[in-house]
Amino acid sequence: MKTHFLTTVSIVSMIAGGALAQTEPPLKDDAPRVDDIVVTAQKRSERLQDVPVSISVLNTEALEAQGVNNVLALNNLAPGLRVSSGDAAASPKIYIRGVGLSDFNPNASSGVGIYVDGVYIGSPLAQMSGFYDLAQVEVLRGPQGTLYGRNTNGGAINITTNRPTFDWAADVRTEYASDNGVNLEGGFGGPLVDDVLAFRLAGQYVSRDGDTHDRVTGEDLNAVEYYGGRLSLLYTPNSDISVLTQINHFENHGDATTPQHRALFPATAEATGADGLCAAGVYSSGMCTDLLGYADTDNDIRAGDYGPEAGKDKVRLNGASIQLDWTLGAVDLVAISAYQNAKRNAFENTDVSPLRMIEINYRSESEAFSQELRVQSNDPAADLKWVLGVYFMDETIKDNSTQDVLRDLRPLFITPDNPLGLSPENSVGVFGYPYTQKTKSYALFGQADYKFSDKLTGTAGVRWSSDDRDFDYRSEIEYGLATILTYQASKSFSAWSGRLGLRYELSDEANLYATYNRGFKSGGFFGGLATTVEQLEPYDNEQLDAYEVGFKGQFWNRRARLNTSAFFYDYKDQQVFAQVLRNGLTVQVLDNAGNSTIYGAEIEASLIPIDNLDLSAGVSLLHAKYDEFVSEGEDYGGNWLPQSPKVTFNASATYTWPLASGDEVMVNLNTTYSSKVYFDNSNRERLSQDGVWNTGGQISWRADATGLEAGVFARNVFDEDWVVSMSPIDSLGFDQVIYNQPRSLGVFLKYKY
């Protein structure tokens, strides 16, 4: 802890010392400056400092230095951003400023939208792919109710890949790390027809041996293996038209996530806590077991008794998109057509024990076609800048998942009339819930920025969105042997959202802004295992009214940048997912809470205090609590929202030594911190994680003449352990506890042409 603290204090002290300097050095022509960052947050290319939105930007170098090869690795890299998952290759849980959704079912919609090259990636089956050959990642905080629309209450993650160019170019990076970790990624391309047609071919391959030992089989579990590829073609028949076509493919063949087993049923009074379950501190004592009498007692978070049914998480994605940009005099026409297909077949040993208590087979498929059409002004000097657009998406989700429950108890119920040993009333059997959900989404939107004076600019935007959903659900036993219930329903969910804002330019390098945003997330139908019709009744839209003020400025002859924001959220009808105990059974519930209040502030700073030294840091302060929320007779009013740490912090320092030969030696040090988080609505202590630090670093040598770079890196260098996700299954007497990856040490080689 002392080492973490000193690391952080050193970085913060350097930033503060430079920012508070009273004298500015004379600026030379070759003096270092913080780079201008261009973002597309408002559907046009603009300077980050000119956009009245709270945005963090991660460029290629930052992503590589911190080992980002999927969306999970973005956790804590931007203030207020938290990403985790209970699955190996699907359903990330993304929260920004406490706004998100922990539902892992395939028809769930996060409160944070993910966009890749302008295409909305709505399916949770498809959100863990595509992180390679990236130009930059923009993290937009707060509701994006106009230009991004539905399901962006928390914000948006805007991913931009490298486009084809008419000059030959190549970028390749290879890594080898602990546990035989391999990460190969890169892209190359150039002109096929000079100034008319160019291509870029990019790909990624990631693999790693398992980090969790199975004491039953002797194998190592939680192994990783996935790969993907992307072909991009850029067609520019003249200076007014460009057409970008992309085709992509992704496959995951790694293990299903294997959590740790934590027993909950006490066998003695001494082991019994106040809630009747196992008391804290004795989970691994042997005095607590699960329903079938098993307990993991060795306190080793990297080992367990799992048996032969460890499981795989197979995901296959295919996608294609075409973006047309056409300049028609004073306006631009932008059309984006996209198709996505995602399939998942994952088997998991859910009870993570050698006994067959519960095993789940997730089998899902989503297919979506989307079309966005925008007309927008293109004069950057005009007093009025505007965007008008329409959006359509046609999505079909099919799920045929099953839960095999208490198979080891079947011999107790075998009779001549019941040779399979089924006992649905005792939850013994294979329970399936095949369903199909079809959604047609429509939206009309527009936003205008008007410059009232040289200093003052106003923004107004509005969007109407509608989702028409058809839902056909069946709950069955033993692969259709008997039907528990059927449910069919259709419903439209529509709402208005929008934006109002003012930006005041204090100087060429500093401005203030104030905004009001209304975000909307569509209602829908629950997509997990249901035992009653009430679980399937549609939940309502949620609405978030956000008020924000911010400051963006560059100082000290542009050697320092400081961006700050403060916000207040009025969160109504919040969609909340939970695993609750009902009639002695653990069931999944997705419903609307009453109201929540969220407020906080963020600070991001970049500084070049001396030549060759780049510093950056960000901090988020957050208050996020339910005002009104009653679930299963429990009043959670006043409880902290899940996945909402009071404090998050990230910092990075890079020093570059120029050598006489023209080569460079670079050292990077980075660290993140997250304070305590709860993993469910009850705020039970056993379902929480105290504050944690994660520190890494990289040292490399870059050859100026050849474009080669080689180096060594360390991630989670102090080998800290922390919980990233938990699932309570109280009725069966255990918790699933998922831990982070252990320390990784490695080497890399990079080539750029």
Side-chain angles (χ1 to χ4, degrees), residues 468-627:
D468 298 339
R469 300 193 192 276
D470 293 321
F471 191 60
D472 187 348
Y473 184 99
R474 186 172 74 255
S475 179
E476 61 186 23
I477 301 173
E478 210 69 16
Y479 307 103
L481 185 63
T483 298
I484 300 175
L485 63 87
T486 61
Y487 181 86
Q488 294 85 33
S490 298
K491 187 172 181 178
S492 294
F493 303 86
S494 61
W496 292 91
S497 56
R499 171 182 177 85
L500 293 172
L502 290 173
R503 181 174 72 92
Y504 186 78
E505 188 176 304
L506 298 171
S507 69
D508 290 343
E509 300 295 347
N511 63 76
L512 297 167
Y513 68 87
T515 60
Y516 161 75
N517 287 277
R518 168 164 290 184
F520 143 75
K521 184 147 81 76
S522 172
F525 298 93
F526 172 64
L529 175 61
T531 56
T532 66
V533 171
E534 287 74 22
Q535 284 176 267
L536 300 171
E537 292 295 327
Y539 53 87
D540 296 330
N541 298 340
E542 68 176 26
Q543 177 182 300
L544 194 154
D545 290 314
Y547 307 85
E548 182 172 326
V549 294
F551 168 82
K552 295 186 176 185
Q554 298 183 142
F555 311 95
W556 200 28
N557 290 325
R558 295 190 63 186
R559 296 180 73 148
R561 175 187 294 127
L562 179 67
N563 295 341
T564 67
S565 59
F567 58 91
F568 177 88
Y569 289 175
D570 182 9
Y571 203 177
K572 297 178 181 178
D573 295 324
Q574 179 182 352
Q575 295 165 13
V576 179
F577 173 80
Q579 296 185 103
V580 300
L581 200 61
R582 178 183 290 175
N583 299 323
L585 298 176
T586 297
V587 298
Q588 301 172 8
V589 176
L590 181 56
D591 206 349
N592 297 92
N595 299 323
S596 299
T597 297
I598 303 174
Y599 57 84
E602 296 131 357
I603 301 174
E604 287 190 285
S606 300
L607 175 66
I608 306 176
I610 59 175
D611 291 359
N612 305 316
L613 177 61
D614 291 278
L615 305 174
S616 63
V619 64
S620 168
L621 306 176
L622 182 67
H623 173 101
K625 288 188 175 182
Y626 293 113
D627 297 326

Side-chain angles (χ1 to χ4, degrees), residues 135-215:
Q136 67 181 29
V137 174
E138 303 168 13
V139 180
L140 286 65
R141 288 181 286 273
Q144 307 300 314
T146 301
L147 298 179
Y148 293 84
R150 64 190 290 271
N151 302 340
T152 56
N153 272 2
I157 297 176
N158 196 19
I159 302 163
T160 305
T161 66
N162 288 318
R163 291 168 63 97
T165 65
F166 290 101
D167 295 315
W168 288 102
D171 297 272
V172 180
R173 181 182 173 100
T174 65
E175 292 183 5
Y176 182 78
S178 306
D179 293 322
N180 290 316
V182 175
N183 184 5
L184 307 176
E185 69 169 89
F188 76 95
L192 294 173
V193 179
D194 286 343
D195 300 323
V196 175
L197 183 63
F199 81 99
R200 186 170 180 88
L201 183 63
Q204 176 190 47
Y205 175 80
V206 176
S207 68
R208 187 180 65 250
D209 292 345
D211 56 33
T212 301
H213 184 67
D214 185 351
R215 292 186 289 262

